[in-house]
Amino acid sequence: MKFPSPIIHFLLPILLVSLLQRPSFAVKKSYVVYLGAHSHDPELSSVDYNQVTESHYEFLGSFLGSSSNSAKESIFYSYTRHINGFAATIEEEVAAEIAKHPKVVSVFENSGRKLHTTRSWEFMGLEHDNGVIPSASIWNKARYGEGVIIGNLDTGVWPESESFSDEGLGPIPLKWKGICDNGTDPGFRCNRKLIGARYFNKGYASVAGPLNFSFESPRDSEGHGSHTLSTAGGNMVPGVSVFGQGYGTAKGGSPKSHVATYKVCWPPINGSECFDADIMAAFDMAIHDGVDVLSLSLGGTSYALFNDSISIGSFHAAKHGIVVVCSAGNSGPVDATAENLAPWYITVGASTMDREFPTYVVLGNKISLQGQSLSPARLPQKFYPIIKAIDAKLSNATAADAVLCQNRTLDPKKVKGKIVLCLRGINARVDKGEQALLAGAVGMVLANDKTTGNEILADPHVLPASHVNFTDGLTIFSYINSTKFPVAYITHPKTQLDTKPAPVMAAFSSKGPNIIIPEILKPDITAPGVSVIAAYTEAEGPTNQEFDKRRIPYNSISGTSMSCPHISGVVGLLKAIYPSWSPAAIKSAIMTTAITLDNEVEPLLNATNGQATPFSYGAGHVQPNKAMDPGLVYDTTLKDYMNFLCALGYNETQISIFSEGPYKCRKRFNVLDLNHPSITVPYLSRSITVTRTLKNVGSPGTYIAHVQNPSGIAISVKPSILKFKTVGDKKSFKVTLKVKKGKTTNKYVFGRLIWSDGKHYVRSPIVVKTL
């Protein structure tokens, strides 16, 4: 239709107004706007905190070009205590404009992270854990962590667990400012053990959409949070077992500490459970509340330091003397998969302990192969037909899915009354057993692939089962292929202590090098993370699968989620003995006293029987008894970290906002010179010299340097003798690394620097890659 010219002139203004008034269809996302640190008095009132929030509304409103109501509707968190910033749902263009503002340190998307347990996914108690539990004399000296407050960012807590009983505990520390926010859960109670509980779900809701009342509670309905918090600081509970196995007294690393939960993780959305905006809010409140230790068994994609909620939150925590401990991740054994990569917290890998739950697969040819399981179900003692999962597949299932015993791939007509041989990978180990059981199987053998090697885990399967290593799996496959009527039997599991070799690095444990800051070795340390028994939720079964109707108060789980709180518990003991030590000093004490030998006095192995390296275990396996008396420590100051950030390329304006005051970057500071307990040189050409400073925290003494040179590298230390006269005495030294002629390999090589006075051995890993 054609309009006459006068009508066009009449309609055009109306059309323009209409177009201008149309709602915007620009996609909005949730972002964290980080404005650095608050410089206000921490004793401010709620009115003062409200004023901070109002300033955030005004700041965002200036970019939205509208009334403050729009900013109020957009902002769902205002960080008012120690971290300055807010989280808001805004358009990408607005986020980009805000990022240019001189008062803004960074703007980053509210990304999701995951829990670090291998219980429910693949890469895809506590008394017998290879020397990790301190001796009675050390525990007594540390008063079992009495007076220390351990906070946990996780899935919440099951408060009724005996591990959180306040029997034998003293009063709540006067410094504690936290609360017990039970939300919509009137049955949730705190006490003198579990002294605080908070939950944070607004960042999650900004992605998931509106939440129902069940999300308004710090209760752990998943099990992960109860397990990790009780491992770090659970009270002593006698007579604990998992279906009768691992019987003994469960106790956390600091059993007389007080604990608090900060629930930041929720049911997965596209694999993500814990979101940055919630993590930032939890850090801000935990610092305010007065925790001494923060344990984070979670992680995800590694980002630049100022675009990472864990990096930012932990830096603010460290400024207030709080030690933060994080998991390294469960994406091993692939290199460069380690997560949580900043130098101001402790990152923990996972290794085995000297306790196993053996169950044997007895084949018809009388070969007996040892696996592991915690299944309570028993098979009558006789042979049963055994079949490979791929030979039992449904006609419409793919071979790739069937060999893994994935959902709806097994044919009940072929499986009924038999033991099924499944391959590890993709779907949960316990789910494979469920699929076999649903198809009518009487038992399951779970065999490793080549990648997972010798790493076998004890899971509470729903049917008689045994998890065997790669080599034994090949033996079983071969037996079935070569026998017309293959049969097998699975024995009931037992508890075996003092197993050897131990520890061994877990295949799932993420490895270095550090992809964000290659000059910083990650992980820092390793601790037990395989088949760890600790408290659990009673809202779900031990496998966390919908089909599992069983309920148990204690469960066995594996992951760097489990190794992280072991270190948090050790930190609690150190905090009790040395309350004035900095987080860096505590980290150094743990790292420099670690061991790289197993209980057969051989180098630590990985899951495929190869020799592990610092990229797997960092400084080594933790030794709490030794960490209580390290002799010397590498203490890192706030100024050191500022110079480090300058050397990484952050500008003085950003750092000044970050540090609550003007800061002038020190010229000629090298990233390699950060006073870290490890030395990592990722790009060595010819030679380089790095500087370190040691602080005496023991008796006076003379320390001599001993070097184990990396292959093809010559190392000299000057001075090579350091004399310490008093506690607090500091001495600096230089380490020169030089490539030997013709020895350039473009591969990482490893060595060690050890300072010793004959009693103390202060060990630092050396990691070098030549160009």
Side-chain angles (χ1 to χ4, degrees), residues 563-593:
S563 57
C564 167
H566 273 84
I567 298 298
S568 302
V570 174
V571 170
L573 297 180
L574 287 167
K575 271 282 190 180
I577 301 174
Y578 308 111
S580 65
W581 279 18
S582 70
I586 289 176
K587 175 179 178 176
S588 176
I590 290 172
M591 288 179 65
T592 59
T593 57

PDB file of all heavy atoms in Angstrom, residues 563-593:
ATOM      1  N   SER A 563      40.827 -33.696  49.884  1.00  0.00           N
ATOM      2  CA  SER A 563      42.197 -33.389  50.327  1.00  0.00           C
ATOM      3  C   SER A 563      42.314 -31.966  50.848  1.00  0.00           C
ATOM      4  O   SER A 563      43.056 -31.691  51.791  1.00  0.00           O
ATOM      5  CB  SER A 563      43.198 -33.619  49.192  1.00  0.00           C
ATOM      6  OG  SER A 563      42.872 -32.842  48.049  1.00  0.00           O
ATOM      7  N   CYS A 564      41.566 -31.041  50.264  1.00  0.00           N
ATOM      8  CA  CYS A 564      41.597 -29.636  50.681  1.00  0.00           C
ATOM      9  C   CYS A 564      41.322 -29.471  52.178  1.00  0.00           C
ATOM     10  O   CYS A 564      42.106 -28.825  52.891  1.00  0.00           O
ATOM     11  CB  CYS A 564      40.601 -28.837  49.841  1.00  0.00           C
ATOM     12  SG  CYS A 564      40.244 -27.177  50.437  1.00  0.00           S
ATOM     13  N   PRO A 565      40.230 -30.044  52.736  1.00  0.00           N
ATOM     14  CA  PRO A 565      39.973 -29.833  54.167  1.00  0.00           C
ATOM     15  C   PRO A 565      40.956 -30.541  55.086  1.00  0.00           C
ATOM     16  O   PRO A 565      41.054 -30.177  56.261  1.00  0.00           O
ATOM     17  CB  PRO A 565      38.546 -30.360  54.350  1.00  0.00           C
ATOM     18  CG  PRO A 565      38.325 -31.298  53.222  1.00  0.00           C
ATOM     19  CD  PRO A 565      39.106 -30.735  52.078  1.00  0.00           C
ATOM     20  N   HIS A 566      41.691 -31.557  54.595  1.00  0.00           N
ATOM     21  CA  HIS A 566      42.778 -32.114  55.405  1.00  0.00           C
ATOM     22  C   HIS A 566      43.792 -31.005  55.725  1.00  0.00           C
ATOM     23  O   HIS A 566      44.245 -30.863  56.868  1.00  0.00           O
ATOM     24  CB  HIS A 566      43.485 -33.247  54.651  1.00  0.00           C
ATOM     25  CG  HIS A 566      42.858 -34.585  54.833  1.00  0.00           C
ATOM     26  ND1 HIS A 566      41.797 -35.013  54.086  1.00  0.00           N
ATOM     27  CD2 HIS A 566      43.145 -35.608  55.685  1.00  0.00           C
ATOM     28  CE1 HIS A 566      41.458 -36.242  54.462  1.00  0.00           C
ATOM     29  NE2 HIS A 566      42.263 -36.623  55.435  1.00  0.00           N
ATOM     30  N   ILE A 567      44.138 -30.226  54.710  1.00  0.00           N
ATOM     31  CA  ILE A 567      45.084 -29.127  54.919  1.00  0.00           C
ATOM     32  C   ILE A 567      44.446 -28.039  55.786  1.00  0.00           C
ATOM     33  O   ILE A 567      45.108 -27.443  56.651  1.00  0.00           O
ATOM     34  CB  ILE A 567      45.555 -28.551  53.573  1.00  0.00           C
ATOM     35  CG1 ILE A 567      46.300 -29.625  52.764  1.00  0.00           C
ATOM     36  CG2 ILE A 567      46.446 -27.335  53.782  1.00  0.00           C
ATOM     37  CD1 ILE A 567      47.558 -30.145  53.430  1.00  0.00           C
ATOM     38  N   SER A 568      43.159 -27.779  55.582  1.00  0.00           N
ATOM     39  CA  SER A 568      42.474 -26.777  56.405  1.00  0.00           C
ATOM     40  C   SER A 568      42.535 -27.159  57.878  1.00  0.00           C
ATOM     41  O   SER A 568      42.713 -26.291  58.747  1.00  0.00           O
ATOM     42  CB  SER A 568      41.014 -26.637  55.961  1.00  0.00           C
ATOM     43  OG  SER A 568      40.932 -26.275  54.602  1.00  0.00           O
ATOM     44  N   GLY A 569      42.395 -28.452  58.175  1.00  0.00           N
ATOM     45  CA  GLY A 569      42.499 -28.916  59.552  1.00  0.00           C
ATOM     46  C   GLY A 569      43.888 -28.719  60.119  1.00  0.00           C
ATOM     47  O   GLY A 569      44.057 -28.310  61.278  1.00  0.00           O
ATOM     48  N   VAL A 570      44.910 -28.991  59.322  1.00  0.00           N
ATOM     49  CA  VAL A 570      46.293 -28.773  59.753  1.00  0.00           C
ATOM     50  C   VAL A 570      46.532 -27.283  60.001  1.00  0.00           C
ATOM     51  O   VAL A 570      47.182 -26.899  60.983  1.00  0.00           O
ATOM     52  CB  VAL A 570      47.286 -29.319  58.701  1.00  0.00           C
ATOM     53  CG1 VAL A 570      48.718 -28.955  59.072  1.00  0.00           C
ATOM     54  CG2 VAL A 570      47.139 -30.837  58.562  1.00  0.00           C
ATOM     55  N   VAL A 571      45.985 -26.436  59.125  1.00  0.00           N
ATOM     56  CA  VAL A 571      46.114 -24.991  59.315  1.00  0.00           C
ATOM     57  C   VAL A 571      45.483 -24.583  60.645  1.00  0.00           C
ATOM     58  O   VAL A 571      46.022 -23.738  61.367  1.00  0.00           O
ATOM     59  CB  VAL A 571      45.448 -24.229  58.149  1.00  0.00           C
ATOM     60  CG1 VAL A 571      45.353 -22.734  58.469  1.00  0.00           C
ATOM     61  CG2 VAL A 571      46.224 -24.429  56.859  1.00  0.00           C
ATOM     62  N   GLY A 572      44.345 -25.192  60.992  1.00  0.00           N
ATOM     63  CA  GLY A 572      43.695 -24.888  62.259  1.00  0.00           C
ATOM     64  C   GLY A 572      44.594 -25.163  63.452  1.00  0.00           C
ATOM     65  O   GLY A 572      44.642 -24.382  64.411  1.00  0.00           O
ATOM     66  N   LEU A 573      45.333 -26.274  63.397  1.00  0.00           N
ATOM     67  CA  LEU A 573      46.266 -26.594  64.478  1.00  0.00           C
ATOM     68  C   LEU A 573      47.395 -25.569  64.548  1.00  0.00           C
ATOM     69  O   LEU A 573      47.789 -25.117  65.626  1.00  0.00           O
ATOM     70  CB  LEU A 573      46.846 -27.993  64.273  1.00  0.00           C
ATOM     71  CG  LEU A 573      45.868 -29.171  64.316  1.00  0.00           C
ATOM     72  CD1 LEU A 573      46.613 -30.479  64.101  1.00  0.00           C
ATOM     73  CD2 LEU A 573      45.121 -29.216  65.638  1.00  0.00           C
ATOM     74  N   LEU A 574      47.925 -25.205  63.377  1.00  0.00           N
ATOM     75  CA  LEU A 574      49.005 -24.214  63.340  1.00  0.00           C
ATOM     76  C   LEU A 574      48.526 -22.862  63.857  1.00  0.00           C
ATOM     77  O   LEU A 574      49.252 -22.153  64.568  1.00  0.00           O
ATOM     78  CB  LEU A 574      49.540 -24.080  61.920  1.00  0.00           C
ATOM     79  CG  LEU A 574      50.395 -25.244  61.406  1.00  0.00           C
ATOM     80  CD1 LEU A 574      50.598 -25.144  59.904  1.00  0.00           C
ATOM     81  CD2 LEU A 574      51.731 -25.284  62.110  1.00  0.00           C
ATOM     82  N   LYS A 575      47.297 -22.500  63.514  1.00  0.00           N
ATOM     83  CA  LYS A 575      46.725 -21.243  63.995  1.00  0.00           C
ATOM     84  C   LYS A 575      46.600 -21.246  65.517  1.00  0.00           C
ATOM     85  O   LYS A 575      46.767 -20.208  66.167  1.00  0.00           O
ATOM     86  CB  LYS A 575      45.350 -21.022  63.365  1.00  0.00           C
ATOM     87  CG  LYS A 575      45.361 -20.294  62.041  1.00  0.00           C
ATOM     88  CD  LYS A 575      45.541 -18.809  62.263  1.00  0.00           C
ATOM     89  CE  LYS A 575      45.312 -18.009  61.019  1.00  0.00           C
ATOM     90  NZ  LYS A 575      45.481 -16.551  61.244  1.00  0.00           N
ATOM     91  N   ALA A 576      46.276 -22.417  66.084  1.00  0.00           N
ATOM     92  CA  ALA A 576      46.128 -22.502  67.538  1.00  0.00           C
ATOM     93  C   ALA A 576      47.463 -22.332  68.250  1.00  0.00           C
ATOM     94  O   ALA A 576      47.546 -21.739  69.326  1.00  0.00           O
ATOM     95  CB  ALA A 576      45.495 -23.849  67.912  1.00  0.00           C
ATOM     96  N   ILE A 577      48.531 -22.875  67.639  1.00  0.00           N
ATOM     97  CA  ILE A 577      49.856 -22.783  68.258  1.00  0.00           C
ATOM     98  C   ILE A 577      50.514 -21.431  67.988  1.00  0.00           C
ATOM     99  O   ILE A 577      51.151 -20.850  68.865  1.00  0.00           O
ATOM    100  CB  ILE A 577      50.770 -23.915  67.728  1.00  0.00           C
ATOM    101  CG1 ILE A 577      50.171 -25.282  68.030  1.00  0.00           C
ATOM    102  CG2 ILE A 577      52.159 -23.822  68.352  1.00  0.00           C
ATOM    103  CD1 ILE A 577      50.945 -26.429  67.419  1.00  0.00           C
ATOM    104  N   TYR A 578      50.348 -20.942  66.744  1.00  0.00           N
ATOM    105  CA  TYR A 578      51.022 -19.703  66.327  1.00  0.00           C
ATOM    106  C   TYR A 578      49.993 -18.692  65.806  1.00  0.00           C
ATOM    107  O   TYR A 578      49.928 -18.421  64.598  1.00  0.00           O
ATOM    108  CB  TYR A 578      52.048 -20.002  65.240  1.00  0.00           C
ATOM    109  CG  TYR A 578      53.020 -21.108  65.584  1.00  0.00           C
ATOM    110  CD1 TYR A 578      52.982 -22.332  64.922  1.00  0.00           C
ATOM    111  CD2 TYR A 578      53.987 -20.924  66.574  1.00  0.00           C
ATOM    112  CE1 TYR A 578      53.874 -23.349  65.223  1.00  0.00           C
ATOM    113  CE2 TYR A 578      54.887 -21.932  66.893  1.00  0.00           C
ATOM    114  CZ  TYR A 578      54.823 -23.141  66.215  1.00  0.00           C
ATOM    115  OH  TYR A 578      55.711 -24.143  66.526  1.00  0.00           O
ATOM    116  N   PRO A 579      49.171 -18.124  66.686  1.00  0.00           N
ATOM    117  CA  PRO A 579      48.111 -17.213  66.225  1.00  0.00           C
ATOM    118  C   PRO A 579      48.629 -15.963  65.530  1.00  0.00           C
ATOM    119  O   PRO A 579      47.892 -15.334  64.762  1.00  0.00           O
ATOM    120  CB  PRO A 579      47.367 -16.859  67.525  1.00  0.00           C
ATOM    121  CG  PRO A 579      48.323 -17.161  68.632  1.00  0.00           C
ATOM    122  CD  PRO A 579      49.157 -18.302  68.149  1.00  0.00           C
ATOM    123  N   SER A 580      49.884 -15.603  65.759  1.00  0.00           N
ATOM    124  CA  SER A 580      50.425 -14.385  65.135  1.00  0.00           C
ATOM    125  C   SER A 580      51.060 -14.643  63.770  1.00  0.00           C
ATOM    126  O   SER A 580      51.428 -13.694  63.078  1.00  0.00           O
ATOM    127  CB  SER A 580      51.457 -13.739  66.060  1.00  0.00           C
ATOM    128  OG  SER A 580      52.584 -14.592  66.232  1.00  0.00           O
ATOM    129  N   TRP A 581      51.194 -15.901  63.381  1.00  0.00           N
ATOM    130  CA  TRP A 581      51.804 -16.191  62.079  1.00  0.00           C
ATOM    131  C   TRP A 581      50.893 -15.710  60.956  1.00  0.00           C
ATOM    132  O   TRP A 581      49.668 -15.835  61.016  1.00  0.00           O
ATOM    133  CB  TRP A 581      52.037 -17.692  61.931  1.00  0.00           C
ATOM    134  CG  TRP A 581      53.275 -18.185  62.607  1.00  0.00           C
ATOM    135  CD1 TRP A 581      53.994 -17.556  63.573  1.00  0.00           C
ATOM    136  CD2 TRP A 581      53.921 -19.444  62.374  1.00  0.00           C
ATOM    137  NE1 TRP A 581      55.057 -18.333  63.963  1.00  0.00           N
ATOM    138  CE2 TRP A 581      55.040 -19.501  63.243  1.00  0.00           C
ATOM    139  CE3 TRP A 581      53.680 -20.519  61.538  1.00  0.00           C
ATOM    140  CZ2 TRP A 581      55.903 -20.594  63.285  1.00  0.00           C
ATOM    141  CZ3 TRP A 581      54.526 -21.610  61.570  1.00  0.00           C
ATOM    142  CH2 TRP A 581      55.636 -21.646  62.432  1.00  0.00           C
ATOM    143  N   SER A 582      51.518 -15.209  59.904  1.00  0.00           N
ATOM    144  CA  SER A 582      50.769 -14.769  58.726  1.00  0.00           C
ATOM    145  C   SER A 582      50.306 -15.979  57.918  1.00  0.00           C
ATOM    146  O   SER A 582      50.852 -17.084  58.056  1.00  0.00           O
ATOM    147  CB  SER A 582      51.656 -13.886  57.850  1.00  0.00           C
ATOM    148  OG  SER A 582      52.670 -14.673  57.230  1.00  0.00           O
ATOM    149  N   PRO A 583      49.304 -15.805  57.043  1.00  0.00           N
ATOM    150  CA  PRO A 583      48.910 -16.901  56.156  1.00  0.00           C
ATOM    151  C   PRO A 583      50.079 -17.436  55.333  1.00  0.00           C
ATOM    152  O   PRO A 583      50.180 -18.637  55.106  1.00  0.00           O
ATOM    153  CB  PRO A 583      47.846 -16.258  55.265  1.00  0.00           C
ATOM    154  CG  PRO A 583      47.238 -15.201  56.136  1.00  0.00           C
ATOM    155  CD  PRO A 583      48.388 -14.650  56.932  1.00  0.00           C
ATOM    156  N   ALA A 584      50.966 -16.535  54.896  1.00  0.00           N
ATOM    157  CA  ALA A 584      52.120 -16.966  54.097  1.00  0.00           C
ATOM    158  C   ALA A 584      53.076 -17.824  54.917  1.00  0.00           C
ATOM    159  O   ALA A 584      53.642 -18.806  54.412  1.00  0.00           O
ATOM    160  CB  ALA A 584      52.859 -15.754  53.542  1.00  0.00           C
ATOM    161  N   ALA A 585      53.276 -17.470  56.191  1.00  0.00           N
ATOM    162  CA  ALA A 585      54.159 -18.259  57.051  1.00  0.00           C
ATOM    163  C   ALA A 585      53.599 -19.648  57.286  1.00  0.00           C
ATOM    164  O   ALA A 585      54.329 -20.647  57.278  1.00  0.00           O
ATOM    165  CB  ALA A 585      54.362 -17.535  58.383  1.00  0.00           C
ATOM    166  N   ILE A 586      52.280 -19.732  57.483  1.00  0.00           N
ATOM    167  CA  ILE A 586      51.641 -21.039  57.680  1.00  0.00           C
ATOM    168  C   ILE A 586      51.738 -21.872  56.410  1.00  0.00           C
ATOM    169  O   ILE A 586      52.043 -23.071  56.454  1.00  0.00           O
ATOM    170  CB  ILE A 586      50.179 -20.843  58.121  1.00  0.00           C
ATOM    171  CG1 ILE A 586      50.158 -20.307  59.556  1.00  0.00           C
ATOM    172  CG2 ILE A 586      49.394 -22.141  58.011  1.00  0.00           C
ATOM    173  CD1 ILE A 586      48.777 -19.968  60.079  1.00  0.00           C
ATOM    174  N   LYS A 587      51.506 -21.244  55.277  1.00  0.00           N
ATOM    175  CA  LYS A 587      51.637 -21.949  54.003  1.00  0.00           C
ATOM    176  C   LYS A 587      53.058 -22.473  53.822  1.00  0.00           C
ATOM    177  O   LYS A 587      53.264 -23.631  53.429  1.00  0.00           O
ATOM    178  CB  LYS A 587      51.273 -21.010  52.847  1.00  0.00           C
ATOM    179  CG  LYS A 587      51.488 -21.604  51.460  1.00  0.00           C
ATOM    180  CD  LYS A 587      51.081 -20.613  50.382  1.00  0.00           C
ATOM    181  CE  LYS A 587      51.331 -21.183  48.993  1.00  0.00           C
ATOM    182  NZ  LYS A 587      50.861 -20.279  47.927  1.00  0.00           N
ATOM    183  N   SER A 588      54.045 -21.652  54.144  1.00  0.00           N
ATOM    184  CA  SER A 588      55.440 -22.050  54.010  1.00  0.00           C
ATOM    185  C   SER A 588      55.762 -23.224  54.923  1.00  0.00           C
ATOM    186  O   SER A 588      56.432 -24.179  54.508  1.00  0.00           O
ATOM    187  CB  SER A 588      56.356 -20.870  54.341  1.00  0.00           C
ATOM    188  OG  SER A 588      57.710 -21.253  54.306  1.00  0.00           O
ATOM    189  N   ALA A 589      55.288 -23.178  56.171  1.00  0.00           N
ATOM    190  CA  ALA A 589      55.560 -24.264  57.113  1.00  0.00           C
ATOM    191  C   ALA A 589      55.031 -25.587  56.594  1.00  0.00           C
ATOM    192  O   ALA A 589      55.673 -26.637  56.731  1.00  0.00           O
ATOM    193  CB  ALA A 589      54.945 -23.935  58.471  1.00  0.00           C
ATOM    194  N   ILE A 590      53.851 -25.561  55.977  1.00  0.00           N
ATOM    195  CA  ILE A 590      53.252 -26.780  55.430  1.00  0.00           C
ATOM    196  C   ILE A 590      54.024 -27.271  54.215  1.00  0.00           C
ATOM    197  O   ILE A 590      54.294 -28.470  54.072  1.00  0.00           O
ATOM    198  CB  ILE A 590      51.768 -26.520  55.089  1.00  0.00           C
ATOM    199  CG1 ILE A 590      50.955 -26.360  56.383  1.00  0.00           C
ATOM    200  CG2 ILE A 590      51.194 -27.634  54.223  1.00  0.00           C
ATOM    201  CD1 ILE A 590      49.526 -25.917  56.167  1.00  0.00           C
ATOM    202  N   MET A 591      54.433 -26.349  53.347  1.00  0.00           N
ATOM    203  CA  MET A 591      55.108 -26.738  52.110  1.00  0.00           C
ATOM    204  C   MET A 591      56.544 -27.217  52.345  1.00  0.00           C
ATOM    205  O   MET A 591      56.964 -28.247  51.816  1.00  0.00           O
ATOM    206  CB  MET A 591      55.104 -25.575  51.118  1.00  0.00           C
ATOM    207  CG  MET A 591      53.754 -25.265  50.507  1.00  0.00           C
ATOM    208  SD  MET A 591      53.803 -23.869  49.349  1.00  0.00           S
ATOM    209  CE  MET A 591      54.863 -24.518  48.046  1.00  0.00           C
ATOM    210  N   THR A 592      57.307 -26.467  53.142  1.00  0.00           N
ATOM    211  CA  THR A 592      58.738 -26.767  53.261  1.00  0.00           C
ATOM    212  C   THR A 592      59.031 -27.996  54.115  1.00  0.00           C
ATOM    213  O   THR A 592      60.167 -28.472  54.144  1.00  0.00           O
ATOM    214  CB  THR A 592      59.502 -25.566  53.846  1.00  0.00           C
ATOM    215  OG1 THR A 592      58.977 -25.253  55.139  1.00  0.00           O
ATOM    216  CG2 THR A 592      59.396 -24.357  52.931  1.00  0.00           C
ATOM    217  N   THR A 593      58.021 -28.507  54.809  1.00  0.00           N
ATOM    218  CA  THR A 593      58.212 -29.718  55.626  1.00  0.00           C
ATOM    219  C   THR A 593      57.569 -30.946  54.984  1.00  0.00           C
ATOM    220  O   THR A 593      57.532 -32.017  55.583  1.00  0.00           O
ATOM    221  CB  THR A 593      57.624 -29.520  57.033  1.00  0.00           C
ATOM    222  OG1 THR A 593      56.231 -29.187  56.917  1.00  0.00           O
ATOM    223  CG2 THR A 593      58.351 -28.418  57.780  1.00  0.00           C
TER     224      THR A 593
END
